[in-house]
Amino acid sequence: MAGALLLIVMIAPAAAAAGCVLVRVPRVAEGLNLIASLAVCAAAIPLTILSARGPYYYLSEYIIIDIAGAWVILCTAIVYLLASIYSIGYMRLLGEDEKLWGFYALFAGFALTILLSAVMNNAGLYWIAIELTTLVSTFLVGFERAAESIEAAWKYIIIISAGISLALLGTVLFYWCGSFVLGQTYDMTWEALRDAAPKMNPALALLSFFLVLVGYGTKVGLAPMHTWLPDAHSESPAPISAMLSGALLNTAMLGIVRYLAIANAAQNEILARKTLVAFGVLSLIVGALFIVRQNGIKRLMAYSSVEHMGIVALGFGIGGPLGIAGALYHMLNHSLNKSLMFFGAGNAMRSYGSKEIRKIRYLWAYFPMQGALWLAGAVAITGAPPFGLFLSELVILRAGFERGYDWAVYAMAVLLIVIFIGFLNHFRAMYFDTAGAAPEDRPAQISRWCVVPMWLALVPLVVFGVWWPSAMWDHFAAAAHTLTGAAP
């Protein structure tokens, strides 16, 4: 059953990408991509449930379906579906129908590479899959072909490639560590590395982990390796910004978590965890500083992604059942919430013809429904109740106290207050500031295709903020046991 569901998850976007290339008709291409996203999401939900009974191995154990990987697939599938719906309305506004078949082919291909990364059971193949996400998404970052978009695409591929090179070096060093235990030739599966870790040289294993952490941390957008992220998120089409933030970053974080389990088993648990926690706190600091002083609406969302990946890093770094549960829950809530925020930002940009916050005014008066959805998302993304991110952040804070990371908890709490004030101050200006001049012409109206996915993202955010299903907690507890060996 799990194998059949995985087959659907992989074949659907691949078939959509191939269909877009063969047909080259814009309306058919967007339909193929939407159908593929529906199929992926429909298969990802039962696959996530079945993963608790696994892990399942396929293709000579090169493919794995485990709880953590299936959870990333679920987050990716949700964002892929929401972004596919949104892109139908958004991309038609560009007035470049002749290029849309290429956009949707790349879009489906991008989703495929992310999904493929989550199920790689070989450290080397995982690196290749992550590199494929970079190559495909680079063309999407620069899709609009403006000077700023091309510059952002180049900056994206150069910085990410530098980071991924360090991750490759760390992967090679981990293989070398394992060769002293498993012999010169062996399958570099996650399980093999973890089983061999207690007999590895601790210093060499720690160095390998640091290289991998910095390498894949660049892809995650952890500070100070985050410098590609604001430009790429700002210049990409809005649905691609949602995929970058809500799907791609989670997949790269999965690699760090898998290597963290190996470092822990190699007698480096304390230092490895403290390093990841430190990167998390630093990301929160950088996010807070740039959010307060931001002028561009999509760059504001980008630095929010830096902040939230820092929170996820804190959860996994703190560890234990609560820390891991909070981090996984935060992944899902952030995927939903950031999709909503980028959709709202894309709508505002297209309506007002500007990315600058100071030029977006009277939003509530012109767009009462869309404005209410976007404002609710803004409150949610700052971690305020009654939304899902509030609950996941609360769980991570509690885990920090229980695991002795009081300093990180206090830093996180203070920085979240700063971010709450700074982020919502920008929205106060866009909604309620009457000092700026109103637009000379009424801002352009937005298609319903661009509003419906905002509803679809907001409703579960509210539900997850007031109700944490017991089955989901059991799922997270099983994930903690799988990743750390802690009692479920």
Side-chain angles (χ1 to χ4, degrees):
M1 182 64 175
L5 292 170
L6 180 62
L7 206 58
I8 294 172
V9 167
M10 296 302 164
I11 288 179
C20 292
V21 173
L22 292 173
V23 177
R24 301 195 176 193
V25 177
R27 298 299 174 262
V28 175
E30 66 188 21
L32 288 172
N33 185 65
L34 179 59
I35 292 170
S37 66
L38 284 166
V40 170
C41 198
I45 295 171
L47 184 65
T48 303
I49 296 171
L50 285 174
S51 67
R53 305 175 189 172
Y56 302 95
Y57 299 96
Y58 301 97
L59 297 180
S60 301
E61 298 193 359
Y62 286 114
I63 300 294
I64 184 174
I65 301 174
D66 62 352
I67 297 176
W71 190 255
V72 170
I73 288 176
L74 177 64
C75 294
T76 301
I78 292 171
V79 178
Y80 181 33
L81 175 58
L82 295 174
S84 295
I85 297 171
Y86 179 81
S87 63
I88 293 176
Y90 182 87
M91 297 306 294
R92 289 178 184 179
L93 295 174
L94 297 182
E96 298 181 356
D97 278 8
E98 69 279 359
K99 297 195 302 181
L100 285 187
W101 68 267
F103 170 82
Y104 285 111
L106 288 168
F107 192 177
F110 184 34
L112 175 62
T113 58
I114 296 174
L115 294 164
L116 193 62
S117 302
V119 297
M120 288 292 98
N121 191 35
N122 181 288
L125 292 179
Y126 173 78
W127 182 89
I128 293 172
I130 288 292
E131 182 66 4
L132 284 174
T133 65
T134 304
L135 296 176
V136 176
S137 57
T138 298
F139 293 100
L140 289 167
V141 171
F143 182 79
E144 296 184 16
R145 299 184 184 179
E148 296 84 356
S149 300
I150 299 299
E151 180 184 353
W154 275 107
K155 185 174 183 179
Y156 171 62
I157 196 169
I158 290 171
I159 295 175
I160 291 295
S161 296
I164 291 296
S165 298
L166 291 177
L168 177 60
L169 179 58
T171 303
V172 172
L173 285 180
F174 261 121
Y175 185 90
W176 188 38
C177 288
S179 68
F180 293 108
V181 181
L182 302 172
Q184 293 300 311
T185 304
Y186 64 96
D187 290 331
M188 198 180 178
T189 64
W190 303 116
E191 186 178 4
L193 286 172
R194 187 169 169 181
D195 290 344
K199 298 180 182 179
M200 289 180 182
N201 182 298
L204 187 57
L206 184 63
L207 174 61
S208 305
F209 173 73
F210 285 158
L211 288 169
V212 167
L213 175 58
V214 173
Y216 289 128
T218 304
K219 191 78 172 184
V220 172
L222 295 177
M225 299 86 68
H226 68 286
T227 50
W228 64 270
L229 193 147
D231 293 294
H233 283 51
S234 177
E235 300 304 329
S236 303
I240 301 306
S241 298
M243 286 290 288
L244 288 170
S245 183
L248 179 62
L249 304 187
N250 289 339
T251 309
M253 181 63 77
L254 176 63
I256 293 176
V257 172
R258 294 198 191 281
Y259 276 110
L260 178 62
I262 299 167
N264 292 345
Q267 307 170 47
N268 290 307
E269 180 171 4
I270 295 176
L271 191 53
R273 288 194 179 281
K274 285 186 176 180
T275 304
L276 185 55
V277 168
F279 273 117
V281 172
L282 181 59
S283 299
L284 274 164
I285 293 172
V286 170
L289 291 175
F290 281 92
I291 283 171
V292 169
R293 299 176 57 85
Q294 200 48 243
N295 298 315
I297 188 61
K298 287 184 74 178
R299 292 180 75 88
L300 178 67
M301 306 307 160
Y303 281 108
S304 174
S305 295
V306 175
E307 169 217 342
H308 283 286
M309 284 300 105
I311 293 172
V312 173
L314 274 170
F316 283 123
I318 290 168
L322 275 180
I324 291 174
L328 291 172
Y329 203 44
H330 203 80
M331 277 183 168
L332 176 61
N333 288 313
H334 177 253
S335 293
L336 288 164
N337 208 156
K338 194 51 62 69
S339 297
L340 167 59
M341 295 311 295
F342 273 117
F343 298 159
N347 292 348
M349 285 167 47
R350 291 303 168 195
S351 296
Y352 287 84
S354 177
K355 298 177 183 177
E356 296 182 41
I357 294 174
R358 65 182 179 85
K359 294 184 179 180
I360 301 174
R361 290 293 186 270
Y362 299 91
L363 211 154
W364 194 287
Y366 288 124
F367 304 101
M369 176 61 73
Q370 175 195 318
L373 291 171
W374 200 30
L375 183 59
V379 174
I381 204 70
T382 61
F387 301 98
L389 286 172
F390 170 76
L391 191 54
S392 56
E393 289 174 358
L394 199 62
V395 171
I396 292 172
L397 290 170
R398 180 182 167 190
F401 281 125
E402 289 192 358
R403 301 272 292 180
Y405 287 91
D406 296 29
W407 64 274
V409 170
Y410 292 130
M412 177 179 168
V414 171
L415 290 167
L416 286 177
I417 293 171
V418 173
I419 290 167
F420 176 85
I421 296 170
F423 197 94
L424 291 183
N425 183 55
H426 295 301
F427 274 76
R428 177 202 58 78
M430 290 188 289
Y431 279 74
F432 306 112
D433 189 354
T434 57
E440 295 182 4
D441 299 320
R442 183 179 178 86
Q445 293 298 307
I446 295 297
S447 165
R448 291 181 181 178
W449 287 105
C450 296
V451 179
V452 169
M454 296 176 71
W455 274 110
L456 294 177
L458 181 63
V459 171
L461 274 173
V462 176
V463 173
F464 291 149
V466 297
W467 177 55
W468 186 325
S470 59
M472 191 177 287
W473 170 253
D474 294 339
H475 196 80
F476 293 152
H481 176 66
T482 300
L483 293 172
T484 67

